[in-house]
Each structure stands twice: as C-alpha cells, then as structure tokens.
Amino acid sequence: MNQNAYSETIYKLRYGLQRGLMLRHLCFASTFAILSSSTAFGACSSPAGVTGSLQYITNDFLYCDGSAWQSATVSNTGATCSGGGELTKSGSDFQFCNGTNWISVSGPSTGSTCSTIGSFTWRSAALQMEWCDGTNWRRMGTIPADPCSGKSIGQTCVATTALYAGDLDGSKYMVTPSGCTDSSTPTCSGGTDTITKDWYGTTGSDSDIAALTNVGVATTPAPQKGDVETPIIAAYASVSADSAADFCNDMVYGGYSDWYLPSKTELAHLYCKSTPSSHSTSNPQENVNCGGSPPTAQLSGFHVGYYWSSTEYDDRFAWSQSFTNGSQYGPGGKGTTRPVRCVRRY
C-alpha cells in the first residue's frame, strides 16, 4: 500500500465513525490489511466468511479476510499509540488508534434507539457487537441462523419449544410458552400462566433505580428495552433474588440464557399478538388498538390480569400490562404480585 492510500485509509477509520461510514469502509479487505499482523485464527466460511465480517471471540476482536479470521486488536499500553487503525478492547470499552491517541468507539448500550451515527457498543448479554445507524443499534459480525425462520407468530422455533413473537423495532422476538414452572430451568406445559412475582421480590423495598429511565406518561414508549433494564434491576441492592426481573434474568430455557423481563413497549407488543377476552380500542395507550388492528390470536395462555414489565414508573411504582383489555398501568406498587412472562430478542 503506498503512502497516499495508507493516509486515506487512516482518514476513513478516524472520521468514518462520526459520519456513519465505518461499516462501509470495513467491508474491504484492503482496508483491513493495516489492522493486524495477519495472525490466523482458523478458516472462516460463508456466511461469516464474507470478506470484512467481524466477530468478538475469546477476548479478541476479529475480522475475516475471506479465508481466515485475523486479529484486529493490539495491546493498549497507554494513552498514546502509533500506526493507526488498530482496535483494542480496554475494559468494557472499544477503542481505535488514530495514529496518535486511542479514541473510544463505544456508545451507551440502550438496547433500542441510539443517536450518534457510527458509535459501537458490546452487548454482553447477547455476545454481540452493535453499531448505531443514527436510529437503532444493529448487529455486527457473525449473525447466527434465525431459529424462528419460516415460523409464524405463536409457532415453536427450531430446537426449542419457545414461541416466535414477531418483529418489533428492528429486532425479532421469542417468548416463553405458557404454563411454565417456577424454576431457573423451567418446564412449560401450556395452559394458563401461573407464575406470579413481586416486581422487587418478596423481601425487596421501594427504590428509584438510577440507571433506569422512569416513564411517567402512558403514551410514551419505554426508552430502554428489557434486556437493558432486567440485569440492572436484578443486580440492585433493594431487589431480592425472587423478583420478576431475577426470574427471567436467571432463566435457561430452550438452549438460551439471555431471557429477560419485557419492557413496557415489548409487553404491549405481546399483548397485541395475544387473545384477550375483551379489548378496548383505546388500548394499549402507546399503540392504540395495536396500530389500527385488533389484537391477533397468535399468542395465548396469558392470565387475564396485569403482567409486570421491567419499566420503572418512579421509586414506588412500575408499569404493568393488562391482557384483558390492553390497558397499561403505571402506578402499580412494586410489592404487588403479578404474572410474569419472559422474552428474548435477537
């Protein structure tokens, strides 16, 4: 590579993040050539073998050069760096070398919307790197086969009895079946849900969890997805280990361990795919009449009462979703016992 081409490559890597062009530049093996010393990590094959694919494996950030996985990381030994274009993971942060200094490329993991085009984040619960397109977080690197490919909402997905729950905000969803046992490794027999939990657990107490965004207006969608909120709730000191969030956070079901308590918005989506005994066309408030159509009969087994979401209202209350008429209730005391259903998004 001549000096002009090299300089152009560094320029793109340095400034492309802020202009939403990072992925476009990283798609070419010629760009990647400067990122590593070409340390082989084993052959890569389609679809992950497409030149420029990215993965995070065994504490290393890798790219595919078309035939083998190559390390894109170098040792971050301080504030300054040399060469330019290299990537490193320092703690929970990803950084790149602009030829002089290490620059952070990590964005805050909201799990849903984002604002800074080209920011990156490592979502540890899903073991995947994501980038911001200016509106939504999008996956990078190897995307596993869709376990629910070809399935209709309510049908069981491949190699699991979990149900396909459709698409929402650019992600696909799976939901646990009804009639599950109260266990970290539940069995689910159908029928009507019987599991009930307190939002903060039986020995928990009221507290405003600072890392959660409180939603105080019924028509406002939850700003955070449940996969962001659930582990925060489960780890909080005033929430006991038998809480609604802990139940989903600890669950291993259908070969997956990334289940979580759905947010207010995600729970409304489940309601819109369910079969309530009656329905008010003014509900759910943030998605009136389910986007103009009555709820479908694709998901079933929900209790007729309110279900807990992971979205906080304030220090004393959290949001819940009625599966009778679709109403959403914010002033629900966190010590109230309500049914729970868990989801995962992919």
Side-chain angles (χ1 to χ4, degrees):
M1 179 183 293
N2 61 40
Q3 184 61 39
N4 288 338
Y6 180 83
S7 298
E8 181 182 1
T9 297
I10 297 302
Y11 178 86
K12 290 177 179 178
L13 285 172
R14 184 175 183 180
Y15 296 106
L17 290 167
Q18 297 176 355
R19 299 174 62 187
L21 301 176
M22 184 65 171
L23 290 186
R24 187 179 307 171
H25 299 322
L26 293 183
C27 287
F28 301 98
S30 60
T31 300
F32 268 115
I34 67 166
L35 293 182
S36 76
S37 56
S38 298
T39 303
F41 192 81
C44 48
S45 57
S46 181
V50 176
T51 301
S53 297
L54 303 173
Q55 285 200 84
Y56 182 74
I57 302 177
T58 319
N59 297 319
D60 199 3
F61 195 35
L62 310 175
Y63 73 93
C64 177
D65 65 6
S67 61
W69 290 109
Q70 309 288 0
S71 174
T73 61
V74 296
S75 176
N76 183 349
T77 57
T80 60
C81 59
S82 60
E86 296 89 349
L87 297 172
T88 186
K89 186 172 185 292
S90 177
S92 60
D93 188 25
F94 277 90
Q95 300 173 335
F96 81 101
C97 176
N98 68 359
T100 305
N101 299 305
W102 290 105
I103 307 298
S104 173
V105 298
S106 293
S109 179
T110 65
S112 54
T113 59
C114 58
S115 57
T116 305
I117 296 175
S119 8
F120 285 69
T121 188
W122 169 247
R123 194 156 66 89
S124 57
L127 298 179
Q128 66 191 28
M129 194 71 179
E130 297 182 349
W131 69 281
C132 174
D133 66 2
T135 304
N136 297 303
W137 289 107
R138 298 190 179 278
R139 291 186 296 265
M140 292 177 60
T142 303
I143 300 176
D146 182 356
C148 304
S149 177
K151 300 294 184 178
S152 298
I153 296 174
Q155 292 184 330
T156 57
C157 300
V158 176
T160 176
T161 56
L163 308 176
Y164 179 48
D167 300 353
L168 175 66
D169 294 338
S171 295
K172 293 186 176 182
Y173 283 80
M174 295 170 67
V175 61
T176 52
S178 60
C180 295
T181 57
D182 189 353
S183 167
S184 60
T185 55
T187 57
C188 304
S189 57
T192 302
D193 288 335
T194 58
I195 296 174
T196 57
K197 299 286 180 181
D198 292 357
W199 195 88
Y200 58 39
T202 56
T203 60
S205 59
D206 290 332
S207 181
D208 186 9
I209 303 177
L212 298 185
T213 301
N214 291 351
V215 177
V217 180
T219 56
T220 303
Q224 297 168 320
K225 291 288 191 292
D227 56 344
V228 173
E229 297 171 325
T230 297
I232 295 173
I233 298 168
Y236 206 71
S238 63
V239 176
S240 59
D242 59 350
S243 71
D246 276 282
F247 173 70
C248 294
N249 193 60
D250 296 341
M251 179 182 290
V252 178
Y253 181 76
Y256 299 102
S257 59
D258 56 350
W259 297 96
Y260 61 87
L261 187 66
S263 69
K264 169 177 174 278
T265 304
E266 291 168 324
L267 201 56
H269 170 76
L270 293 185
Y271 167 78
C272 289
K273 306 301 179 185
S274 73
T275 54
S277 57
S278 61
H279 172 68
S280 169
T281 57
S282 64
N283 295 321
Q285 294 99 322
E286 67 185 77
N287 185 11
V288 176
N289 201 27
C290 296
S293 301
T296 63
Q298 295 165 296
L299 296 175
S300 61
F302 290 94
H303 192 275
V304 294
Y306 282 90
Y307 277 68
W308 276 129
S309 82
S310 55
T311 304
E312 192 175 61
Y313 184 86
D314 58 19
D315 60 337
R316 297 178 56 197
F317 303 120
W319 282 92
S320 56
Q321 169 73 55
S322 169
F323 277 75
T324 302
N325 63 12
S327 63
Q328 293 166 299
Y329 187 58
K334 294 178 179 178
T336 305
T337 300
R338 299 192 189 282
V340 175
R341 187 81 76 96
C342 307
V343 300
R344 65 178 297 267
R345 73 184 185 103
Y346 61 98

